[in-house]
Each structure stands twice: as C-alpha cells, then as structure tokens.
Amino acid sequence: GSSACSCSPSAAPTQSVTGAQEGKHARRPASAMGAAQSTEDVLAAVNQAQADNAAAAKQPAERGCKLFHFVSAGSGGAWEVITSNASPRFYNANEDTGKKAYDWHLEIDGSDVDVRVDQELGYVMDMPGRRLTFSAEGVIYALRFGNEEQFRQFMELLNDYAFSNTYGVDNDETSRKKYLGEDYANVFFSKDIVDKVGEAMEEDTEEGPPSVTPTKMREQQALDEDEEGEEAIQGIVIGAMANNYLVRGRKFDVLRNIEGGVEDKGISFMLTPPPGTPKGRGIGGPSYGTPGLTPSRVLLANMERRMNILTPENPHLVHHANIETGQIINTFTFNKDGADIPIQDIVHESKAGQMEESNTFLGLDNNRLCRWDIRDPSGVVSASPLVHYDESRGKDFARGTNFTCMATSGSGWVAVGSKDGKVRLYNDKSLKQAKTAIPGLGAPITAIDVTFDGKWVLATTDRYLMVVKTTYEDDSGKPCNAFTAKMGNRGVVPRLLRLKPEDAGRVKGSPLTKGKFTWITESGTQERWVVANCGMFSVIWNFNRLKSTGAESLSFGGLPTSFDYVMTAKEEEVVDAAFLHSRYARNAGADASLVVATGHQLFNLGG
C-alpha cells in the first residue's frame, strides 16, 4: 500500500539501479562450463560472464531508493510513497529479438513502471535532491536515491540510453559528432553532464533589487462575454501604436492599447477586395466584392496603417490591406522564374519593422528563405502583381532543410527553426549561408524569437523551450556574435525551459506553443520575461533571473533546465498570448504585462 510522504517534492525521489543481470528481462546467464564444451564455447562463456559483470558494475546495485507518485488534488497535489525499497534498472527490449536497433527501457522493481527512455518520459534530474522525476502512462513518478554517487551513475546511464534510443547508436564521441556536429559533441548528451549544473548563462548586470517571479498574476477581463453565435478568436495582432487586433475568422476586432493591457474599442471590420478582383484570389465569399479573408498570418506594416496577410487557401499569395479604409489594396503572387511559390511565414526585416515605412519583408517555406519586395527593382509597384524575389538576399536550399519558422532582431539578423530541431542564424547581409547552426534534440521547432539586441534566441518545441545565448568570445578574447561569425564550441551551454513534471500532468499532454520574449523595439532595454501557451494555461518564465542564475536540474540531452515560472489557468484553451509593447508595460517593463486570448475571452495579465 501507499502512505503519505513526509517529504516535499524538493526532498522526494531517489533512484537506484540494480545489476543488469537481475529482473525479468535480464540477460540469460551463460551455460555452465563442462568437459563436453568446446574451447570456443568456453571462451564464449567467459566473455559473456565478463560482459555481464561489466554491465552489473556499470549500474548501481544498491536498493533502498524511494519511489513516489504524484496525486493531484485541485490545482495542487501531494507526493505519496509507493515503496521505500525500489530497484530501478535499464534493459534493452530488443536484446532477444534479433533486432539491431536499441530499445532501452527503465524498469523499477516493486512498481508497475516499465517505460521506454525517450523524450516522452519528460524526465528531470535534480542534483541537490538526488531525485529523478518523470512521467509514465500518465502518472508522475519520482525516485530519490540514497547517495550522490548512486544517483550520478544513474544519470549517466539515463543520458546514454536516451541518446541511443534517439539516434540508434551508442553514446560515444564519434556518434555525437556524426549526429550533433563536432561543435556540439561535448554539449548535448555529453558524458560530463553533472559539470553543467549550477553554471549561470551570464553575470547579473542589472541594477536595483533582483527580479522576483510572481506567485500569481494580476488578471483583468478585457472583453465582455461573446454574444451568441460570435466567431471564436484565432489570435492577437499586437501593435506598438494605438491599436491591436483580435482575429475572428474573417473579422478583426479593434482593441485600444492602455497601460498594462488593452480595452475593446467596440469596432470591427472585414477587409473588402478591390473592385474587379476575380474569384479564387484567396478571398472568401460567394462572389466578387464580398468581404471575407481568413488569415493564417497577419503582419502589421507601414507605421501600422497596413497589413500583409497570408491565407491557408492560397499560400502563394500575399494580400496588402489598408486598415484605415478596410480595403485590400492589392493581392500579390510569390513568384520566381515564372513559378508560384508557397510561403508559410512572413516577418519584417527587423524587430521594429511594423513601426517603419517599408515595402520589403522576409518569406519562408520548407526549403526557401528569401527577401520579398512588393515593388519591382525600379521601385514602382509591379503592374503585374508579382512580389519581386531579391536574388541578393535569398536562396532555394536543398530539399530536407524543412524550415518551420523565423524571427529577426533589431538590426536584421535572422533566426530560423526547422523540423529536425536545428536553429540556424543568419546575418543581415545574406540569407544564403548560416553563420552558426545549433543542433536540436529531435523535436520540431514550432516557433522562434530573438531579443532586440540579438543576444538571445528562444526556440519552441512541444515539450520544452530552448534558450540560446549568441554572444561569446573568440580564441583571442574578442567579443563576437553567432549571427555574424561561427560560434563553434565557444558558446554557453543552451538552457531548456520546461514544466515541472507535476505541472506537465495538469496540462494533460498539451504542447507548449508560441514562445516569445517581452516585446522591445529600442536599444538600452532588456527583455525580462518569456511566455508560452500550453493547453488551458499560460506559462510565464522569469527570463531576467534564469539567464543570471545556475540551473540545478538537467533534463533530456543532459542540458541545464529552468523551472522559474508562474502558470495561469483559463476555462478553455489558450489560443494566443502576447506581451504588450514595452511603452505600455507597467513599471518600465519590469512587470510582465501581456494579453491572453482563449477562444471566447480576452484577459490582461500582469505581475
């Protein structure tokens, strides 16, 4: 039976691993040696015994680990002891099947735990607490080890087997160089993972009292309840000027910027196509002249008087609209060498681009990154509505790059995420060759952001956010940036931002989405917060603290991991969350002022 645990989660869990030959999945022992055996049989048996002994020595043999599980109760819960004599071990499920591929599992005697070692474990290794927390079959478990050496050995094995299950080979330097690149072979899944604990990403240079993560956010409803039949909210378009926009299918609701939030102006509009627009140009409605355009991407432009819009129906088109008149001025085709090009994302050439007069922007599809101009090379809007492809700042890459998202810094540096988890960094001069490429951990990047000064990159995956510091010193001690020069192995180890396993249980498997920094568009101000959506929750990390304090936990890939965040719950799924521009944030940006939208409600949050 289980009893209430006297330990808090921070004092809970410890694992210990028994010898590899123990347990129901253990390797079968070599047969006894006798006179009837051949010399080859004897040698094989001796070699087998030596291998078994080596494997047994590799895994801590002590029992006495405590195994807990987390029992949810309302918005919290408690850890309860399952057994005080747990015996964890690893085994290869393919060992007796003849398959060459690895399939390492973690099994804990005295419990029902028998689970594959991979990303889905969501494991966190806490050094001070000698504790592993993880998820298996929807249950949150924690193991607390009896001593530090036992825990260290377990961590090293877990790291090795996670690598083997991910890449199908043993975790050695040669394999890491092959799959992660030479520069990161001693960063991700490295053998000395324990040495990464406690290192800060940078020194704290902020003046005044340290930034404190609020335990609860201030919250105010910013929109009245939806009327019957009102179309659901799909997203928020945040402006730095007077207005913001809620996207509701084909309709835009106008919001006013106020200090610490937004308020409804009671105005809505739909974009009307210009006279003569034929059907099938990406604009809905049964006939010409009927308003109706369902955007997949909205980019404010030209001092926020205009919008550039992509639609899911016709990704090779961009609609250029005048917000003040509510009309689509023109619809352009993405075209290169006579062929229409589908574009899945567009961003400004700099972080403050929407506040400037500009007719250019960057476009991205699976294997293409380029600069587009809605004027022809002579500077006149093209008579045939084609978006001009700027050959000087664009490239069609080989198939397989699988780009997914991009973002720009204040000076025009470009960060691009991809399906394999890789982050590529380009300077503002050319998009043809990344200066630095940071490997991923196998999970696709679904969103990416860059700080205004270009010193930090934030990549979102379903289970974690990854923070990359781009500044470093070269071999001569000169300050450099990974956007303009190859960083190699001279950079700081990336940091993962994850949910605590017990919080991961609360979100019921929902992915993290749309991670972003505080919105800054001028030099001399620092981003202080990070936000991401996760099911019916918004998660706000204290970026100011996490970059200047060491992480005491490690997770997948052996990377330092931070949990300095606050969660806010809603009654329905969060569809979008965005920081106000810094000019509207409380306390000169020290407050995490943001707007959170669910399908039918809008909230101002701060803290």
Side-chain angles (χ1 to χ4, degrees):
S2 61
S3 59
C5 171
S6 61
C7 304
S8 67
S10 61
T14 317
Q15 288 179 302
S16 66
V17 185
T18 60
Q21 73 272 32
E22 296 182 14
K24 61 184 178 182
H25 298 281
R27 184 191 301 273
R28 283 188 290 270
S31 58
M33 290 181 284
Q37 290 181 302
S38 67
T39 303
E40 289 78 9
D41 289 338
V42 172
L43 289 175
V46 170
N47 290 335
Q48 182 66 70
Q50 289 176 337
D52 287 342
N53 289 335
K58 195 177 180 185
Q59 303 200 45
E62 300 95 331
R63 286 181 174 265
C65 294
K66 285 188 176 181
L67 178 66
F68 303 78
H69 68 158
F70 188 75
V71 180
S72 299
S75 60
W79 292 97
E80 292 186 355
V81 175
I82 296 176
T83 175
S84 296
N85 195 32
S87 180
R89 72 180 196 93
F90 297 102
Y91 71 92
N92 180 10
N94 283 341
E95 184 174 9
D96 297 325
T97 65
K99 297 179 181 178
K100 293 183 179 180
Y102 289 118
D103 189 16
W104 289 102
H105 282 233
L106 168 64
E107 181 182 53
I108 303 177
D109 291 346
S111 76
D112 296 328
V113 175
D114 188 344
V115 63
R116 192 171 192 270
V117 177
D118 56 22
Q119 286 257 30
E120 295 305 309
L121 266 182
Y123 63 82
V124 176
M125 300 176 282
D126 173 25
M127 281 300 293
R130 304 191 309 276
R131 172 179 94 246
L132 176 85
T133 50
F134 63 97
S135 174
E137 302 293 333
V139 179
I140 308 301
Y141 293 96
L143 268 169
R144 189 167 189 274
F145 290 81
N147 61 70
E148 186 174 327
E149 181 58 28
Q150 186 185 10
F151 182 50
R152 184 183 182 119
Q153 289 181 42
F154 181 89
M155 287 173 61
E156 291 171 352
L157 288 173
L158 181 63
N159 185 60
D160 285 348
Y161 296 150
F163 179 90
S164 295
N165 277 354
T166 301
Y167 300 104
V169 293
D170 287 327
N171 183 13
D172 54 39
E173 189 169 0
T174 300
S175 297
R176 292 197 303 276
K177 285 181 178 179
K178 177 180 179 180
Y179 290 99
L180 301 170
E182 187 168 350
D183 294 334
Y184 290 88
N186 291 314
V187 177
F188 295 5
F189 294 102
S190 67
K191 295 290 188 176
D192 57 347
I193 59 173
V194 176
D195 297 338
K196 299 173 187 174
V197 174
E199 294 180 357
M201 300 188 80
E202 74 167 13
E203 292 183 11
D204 187 1
T205 57
E206 291 253 337
E207 297 181 357
S211 175
V212 177
T213 306
T215 55
K216 187 177 181 180
M217 302 291 286
R218 293 191 308 274
E219 182 176 304
Q220 180 184 20
Q221 194 161 322
L223 203 64
D224 292 335
E225 294 287 340
D226 280 355
E227 297 178 5
E228 188 73 27
E230 183 79 80
E231 195 155 3
I233 299 168
Q234 277 92 47
I236 313 167
V237 181
I238 292 288
M241 307 296 191
N243 295 330
N244 310 286
Y245 305 92
L246 275 187
V247 182
R248 291 183 182 269
R250 298 175 181 176
K251 187 179 73 169
F252 292 86
D253 290 347
V254 185
L255 309 170
R256 179 185 293 110
N257 270 316
I258 59 175
E259 184 184 19
V262 299
E263 62 182 16
D264 187 11
K265 293 183 73 169
I267 302 172
S268 299
F269 67 91
M270 286 192 287
L271 296 171
T272 305
T277 300
K279 293 170 66 176
R281 296 289 289 169
I283 301 168
S287 62
Y288 143 75
T290 302
L293 182 152
T294 304
S296 57
R297 179 76 168 99
V298 178
L299 193 66
L300 293 177
N302 302 97
M303 303 290 288
E304 300 186 359
R305 301 190 311 273
R306 305 283 177 88
M307 285 180 175
N308 290 320
I309 302 170
L310 301 180
T311 63
E313 297 87 359
N314 287 285
H316 59 280
L317 303 178
V318 59
H319 307 281
H320 189 61
N322 186 325
I323 298 173
E324 295 168 342
T325 63
Q327 282 200 327
I328 298 169
I329 300 170
N330 214 331
T331 296
F332 299 97
T333 302
F334 292 112
N335 187 281
K336 180 174 183 272
D337 301 330
D340 289 350
I341 296 172
I343 294 295
Q344 63 189 42
D345 195 13
I346 52 176
V347 300
H348 285 292
E349 290 193 85
S350 73
K351 195 93 170 177
Q354 69 189 58
M355 303 163 64
E356 302 166 353
E357 293 287 358
S358 175
N359 292 294
T360 61
F361 52 87
L362 302 180
L364 183 86
D365 76 347
N366 287 344
N367 301 290
R368 183 178 289 105
L369 175 62
C370 49
R371 177 180 182 266
W372 296 95
D373 193 334
I374 59 174
R375 307 162 300 176
D376 68 12
S378 63
V380 180
V381 174
S382 177
S384 58
L386 300 179
V387 186
H388 175 62
Y389 181 99
D390 188 341
E391 296 282 0
S392 68
R393 286 205 70 199
K395 182 175 180 179
D396 296 351
F397 293 85
R399 296 293 171 186
T401 50
N402 289 319
F403 297 143
T404 54
C405 50
M406 62 178 169
T408 53
S409 71
S411 59
W413 296 337
V414 186
V416 179
S418 57
K419 194 171 290 184
D420 64 0
K422 184 176 289 186
V423 173
R424 295 174 173 86
L425 307 181
Y426 299 83
N427 65 21
D428 59 332
K429 301 293 191 295
S430 172
L431 300 176
K432 296 184 178 181
Q433 179 66 50
K435 290 295 182 180
T436 297
I438 298 100
L441 296 171
I445 295 174
T446 59
I448 198 164
D449 198 9
V450 186
T451 56
F452 183 78
D453 60 14
K455 293 182 178 179
W456 302 89
V457 174
L458 179 73
T460 304
T461 74
D462 286 356
R463 295 290 172 254
Y464 60 85
L465 312 184
M466 183 168 71
V467 176
V468 176
K469 184 182 182 183
T470 63
T471 54
Y472 65 96
E473 291 184 352
D474 66 13
D475 295 338
S476 66
K478 177 185 175 183
C480 296
N481 193 294
F483 280 102
T484 59
K486 183 179 179 181
M487 184 162 62
N489 59 4
R490 295 179 287 264
V492 174
V493 176
R495 181 79 59 88
L496 300 187
L497 311 184
R498 306 186 74 115
L499 297 183
K500 300 169 188 173
E502 53 267 43
D503 285 335
R506 293 173 64 194
V507 305
K508 304 184 186 305
S510 298
L512 291 161
T513 61
K514 301 183 180 180
K516 53 180 74 79
F517 291 113
T518 317
W519 188 22
I520 303 294
T521 58
E522 57 186 16
S523 300
T525 307
Q526 297 295 311
E527 291 82 355
R528 293 171 178 252
W529 306 94
V530 165
V531 68
N533 311 328
C534 193
M536 296 167 66
F537 296 84
S538 298
V539 190
I540 300 99
W541 279 268
N542 188 334
F543 180 59
N544 199 44
R545 274 178 52 84
L546 76 87
K547 64 185 180 181
S548 60
T549 57
E552 295 184 331
S553 297
L554 303 174
S555 60
F556 192 78
L559 294 183
T561 305
S562 293
F563 304 97
D564 196 350
Y565 61 80
V566 57
M567 294 178 72
T568 64
K570 296 291 172 283
E571 294 179 355
E572 57 180 351
E573 184 173 347
V574 174
V575 297
D576 207 354
F579 288 106
L580 298 174
H581 187 270
S582 55
R583 66 176 60 168
Y584 294 106
R586 295 182 188 272
N587 304 326
D591 186 278
S593 301
L594 68 158
V595 184
V596 175
T598 67
H600 300 90
Q601 291 184 301
L602 189 70
F603 302 89
N604 294 324
L605 264 66

